[in-house]
Amino acid sequence: MKTSQFVRLFTIVLIALCGLGPLSAQNTAPFEGFDDYVNRSMKEWEIPGMAVAIVKDDKVVFAKGYGVRDISKPAPVDEHTLFAIGSSSKAFTAASLAILMDEGKLKWDDPVTKYLPGFQLYDPYVTREMTVRDLLTHRIGLERGDQIWYATPYSREEILRRIRYLPPSSSMRSKFGYQNIMFLAAGQIVPSVTGKSWDDFVAERIFAPLGMKESDTTIRALARSNDVASPHVKVDDKVQTVPWRNIDNISPAGSINSNVVDMAQWVRLQLGKGKYGGKQVISEAAIKEMQTPQTIIRIEGLYPIMYPDAHFLNYGMGWFLSDFRGRKLVEHGGAIDGMRALVAMIPEKNVGVVILTNLNGTVLPQFLAYRIFDSYLGEQPTDWAADGFKKIKAAEAQAKAAAAKADAARVLGTKPSLDLKDYAGKYRSDIYGDVEVKFTGGNLTIGFGPNYDGALEHRNFDTFRVTWKDPVLGKGLIRFDLDTKGKPASLDLGIMGAFKRVP
C-alpha cells in the first residue's frame, strides 16, 4: 500500500471513530435539489470551486466538493481539498488563549504588557490599559494598518514593533474597528506563556485532539498534499489564478489552511460547548465567553446586505454574533488572496456549516449558509443566493459609478510640476518602511518591499496612478507634495499616508 493510500485509509478510520461515519452513508443533502442549487449559484457568482460540510447533532451529515481546484485544470474539488480559511483562523487564536486561561496561566482582563513587555501603541494610556480581551474584540481604536504585514518582509516581532507608530482612528473601546494586528499580538502571547510558537500550540492543542490531520498554519505545508485549491481573482471581469501568498507573519489572524472535513470537527467542538469525543478540550465557560457579545457593530454600509435578517450585530472573541430567523448566529468569514471561507453555527439548533471557496472576495458562502439553515429551521426557504447576488451587483455598480465620477472630475490638461526624473528617490514611513521611486526609460516606477512593484502614469498636477504588477493589488493613486523650494518633500500613498523624502 502506498503511503498516500495509507494516510487516506487512516484518516477515514479516524473520522469514523470521531463520529463522522462513512461519508457515503452520511452525505444527506440539507434539502432536495441542493447540488443543483450550489452548482447554479457557483455559476452565477463565477466561483471555480467550493466545498461544503454540515454538522448536525454532533455528526457530520454532509461533506462534498463542487467545481474545480483550478479553473484551467479538470481536477475536481472534494471534501479533502485544502483551502485558505483566512480570518476564520481568529477563533483558533481566541481558543488558544482560552485553553491557557482554563489552565490558570492568564486571564481575559490581564494587561497585555504583562505578557508582551515591549508592546507599545501610539497612545501611552491605551498601551497601559489594553487587556487580552481587547486584543480579541476589535475595539482599541486603531486604523487597520494591514500594509505593515500584507506582502511585506516584516516578521511578527517587527510588525508589533511598528504598530506603535500607527495613529488612533477613534478612542479606545468606543466603536468597532476591525484589526488584524491585534490578533497577531494575541497570538504572540502564546509563546510568551508557553515557550511554544502559536503554530505549534494550535497544532498540538487544537488540531491534534480534533483529528484535524490535514490542517496547517502555513502555505509551506501545502507541498505535502496533492489536493490543494488554487486561489483565483477577477481581473477586468475575468477569473484567473494567482499564487498563494505567504502570510506567516500575521498567522494568528488568518493563516490556517484546511478542508471541510477537518473544519467540521472544529464546528463539532464549538457546538459541543468545548467538548469533543467525550473530552473537554476547552471549558464550557470559555466557549460561552467567546460567543458572548463584547463589541457592538452598527449595521450599516454592506452589513445590511450581508446580514439581511439581523436586528443586531456584535463581535465576541473571534466570532461575529447576530440573529437569524430569531436565533443566535455565531459565525466568522475569512478572506485572503483568491480565497473566501465561512464557518457559521446556530447553537440553539445544534447545526453548523463550513463553506470554503477559491475566489477572492465572493460572499456567496454567507448566503448559501442562510439557505442551508432555512432547511434545518423548518422555515419557508428564501433564495438567499440569488437575492444576495442582485444586491451585491447593485452595490458594485454603485461603487464603479462613484469611481468613474471621481475620475471624470479630475482636472484635464495639466502636467507635473517637475520633470519626471526629479520625483525619483527614496521615501520613508516609520510605520511601513521605505518606498523607492525610480526613473527608468522615461517613465516612473515605484517599489515597496518584495511584492509591491508598479508603474506610474500621470493623472493630474502631481498625482499619478499606479498599476501594480500583482493583479491582487490592482490600482491606486499617489500624490507628491512639494516643499517651499519646489522639491518633492513627501508622497502620499492613500490609506498608507505620507512617506517623507529621504535626503
Side-chain angles (χ1 to χ4, degrees):
M1 180 181 291
K2 293 181 179 179
T3 301
S4 60
Q5 292 174 322
F6 175 81
V7 171
R8 179 57 60 88
L9 178 60
F10 176 80
T11 302
I12 292 172
V13 172
L14 178 65
I15 290 170
L17 290 174
C18 290
L20 173 58
L23 287 176
S24 58
Q26 293 286 333
N27 255 13
T28 304
F31 56 86
E32 185 177 354
F34 180 70
D35 286 353
D36 289 340
Y37 187 81
V38 171
N39 287 318
R40 184 174 70 250
S41 299
M42 287 175 61
K43 183 178 180 180
E44 185 172 45
W45 290 74
E46 298 181 76
I47 297 174
M50 174 188 289
V52 180
I54 303 172
V55 174
K56 181 72 172 78
D57 298 329
D58 201 33
K59 288 184 173 59
V60 182
V61 297
F62 186 85
K64 189 173 182 179
Y66 298 87
V68 294
R69 303 175 212 164
D70 188 309
I71 198 169
S72 63
K73 302 174 183 177
V77 171
D78 60 32
E79 67 274 15
H80 291 279
T81 301
L82 293 171
F83 294 79
I85 72 166
S87 287
S88 297
S89 306
K90 288 181 169 63
F92 287 81
T93 296
S96 297
L97 297 189
I99 291 171
L100 295 178
M101 189 202 69
D102 287 340
E103 295 175 347
K105 296 177 179 177
L106 61 78
K107 296 178 181 178
W108 294 126
D109 296 310
D110 282 344
V112 174
T113 52
K114 179 178 179 178
Y115 306 103
L116 302 177
F119 183 79
Q120 182 180 332
L121 296 179
Y122 195 89
D123 187 332
Y125 170 82
V126 178
T127 301
R128 185 180 71 246
E129 297 297 320
M130 173 166 283
T131 66
V132 174
R133 186 188 303 271
D134 291 324
L135 294 177
L136 302 170
T137 51
H138 300 304
R139 65 185 190 185
I140 65 165
L142 272 186
E143 296 177 8
R144 290 188 61 151
D146 284 337
Q147 283 70 27
I148 301 177
W149 61 267
Y150 181 78
T152 73
Y154 301 137
S155 66
R156 298 177 189 182
E157 293 77 13
E158 179 63 12
I159 292 167
L160 290 186
R161 187 192 72 80
R162 288 176 178 270
I163 195 71
R164 68 191 62 189
Y165 300 114
L166 191 65
S169 55
S170 66
S171 57
M172 185 182 186
R173 302 185 187 127
S174 65
K175 62 189 292 187
F176 175 83
Y178 201 81
Q179 234 297 332
N180 285 301
I181 299 175
M182 292 303 98
F183 268 83
L184 168 60
Q188 289 297 90
I189 290 176
V190 173
S192 174
V193 172
T194 68
K196 296 180 180 180
S197 69
W198 172 86
D199 309 75
D200 288 343
F201 189 89
V202 168
E204 294 173 14
R205 302 300 299 275
I206 300 178
F207 290 168
L210 302 188
M212 297 176 66
K213 296 286 187 178
E214 297 177 291
S215 301
D216 213 303
T217 59
T218 173
I219 67 170
R220 290 174 295 170
L222 296 176
R224 298 199 298 260
S225 174
N226 60 2
D227 192 355
V228 180
S230 296
H232 296 76
V233 301
K234 265 189 179 181
V235 179
D236 296 327
D237 293 324
K238 183 180 180 181
V239 177
Q240 66 178 54
T241 59
V242 293
W244 280 77
R245 190 179 298 281
N246 187 318
I247 57 169
D248 288 359
N249 61 355
I250 197 73
S251 284
S255 75
I256 291 175
N257 307 306
S258 188
N259 57 41
V260 293
V261 172
D262 275 13
M263 289 299 294
Q265 312 314 312
W266 170 244
V267 171
R268 289 179 61 202
L269 175 74
Q270 298 296 322
L271 292 175
K273 300 177 180 179
K275 183 177 288 188
Y276 180 89
K279 180 181 178 181
Q280 199 74 43
V281 180
I282 306 171
S283 70
E284 182 175 341
I287 292 289
K288 181 178 180 181
E289 190 67 16
M290 288 185 284
Q291 296 180 11
T292 293
Q294 310 283 334
T295 305
I296 295 173
I297 305 173
R298 295 182 64 86
I299 302 180
E300 57 188 9
L302 286 178
Y303 285 135
I305 297 176
M306 298 294 293
Y307 299 92
D309 197 59
H311 297 84
F312 69 88
L313 179 60
N314 296 282
Y315 200 85
M317 290 190 280
W319 295 106
F320 283 93
L321 308 168
S322 62
D323 60 320
F324 177 77
R325 304 290 202 186
R327 281 90 169 182
K328 181 180 180 180
L329 175 64
V330 179
E331 55 91 20
H332 209 298
I336 192 61
D337 294 358
M339 299 276 179
R340 183 81 183 202
L342 177 70
V343 179
M345 301 168 285
I346 298 181
E348 181 183 344
K349 291 297 182 179
N350 207 17
V351 62
V353 302
V354 179
I355 302 173
L356 307 178
T357 74
N358 58 353
L359 180 64
N360 195 72
T362 182
V363 291
L364 174 60
Q366 196 86 18
F367 301 118
L368 181 57
Y370 295 155
R371 180 63 186 87
I372 293 171
F373 287 142
D374 273 351
S375 67
Y376 283 97
L377 297 177
E379 297 282 355
Q380 184 67 30
T382 296
D383 191 349
W384 297 102
D387 290 351
F389 183 77
K390 293 175 184 175
K391 292 175 181 176
I392 289 294
K393 283 299 177 183
E396 288 177 354
Q398 189 175 15
K400 287 181 180 179
K405 182 178 180 181
D407 191 62
R410 68 190 176 105
V411 180
L412 301 176
T414 69
K415 63 179 183 179
S417 301
L418 309 172
D419 290 338
L420 291 183
K421 61 181 176 56
D422 293 329
Y423 294 99
K426 187 176 290 185
Y427 298 78
R428 179 167 296 162
S429 163
D430 289 335
I431 305 172
Y432 302 105
D434 291 348
V435 163
E436 188 168 8
V437 177
K438 296 181 179 180
F439 179 70
T440 306
N443 297 300
L444 291 175
T445 62
I446 186 169
F448 168 57
N451 296 290
Y452 283 85
D453 184 16
L456 299 182
E457 60 176 325
H458 183 249
R459 186 170 185 270
N460 63 351
F461 299 111
D462 294 312
T463 297
F464 294 75
R465 185 185 300 279
V466 57
T467 300
W468 301 107
K469 289 184 179 179
D470 186 334
V472 175
L473 302 177
K475 299 180 179 182
L477 295 178
I478 293 176
R479 187 188 74 246
F480 291 89
D481 293 320
L482 309 183
D483 60 20
T484 55
K485 296 180 180 180
K487 301 295 184 182
S490 65
L491 65 79
D492 190 289
L493 267 174
I495 60 174
M496 296 171 69
F499 288 64
K500 295 182 179 180
R501 178 74 175 260
V502 177

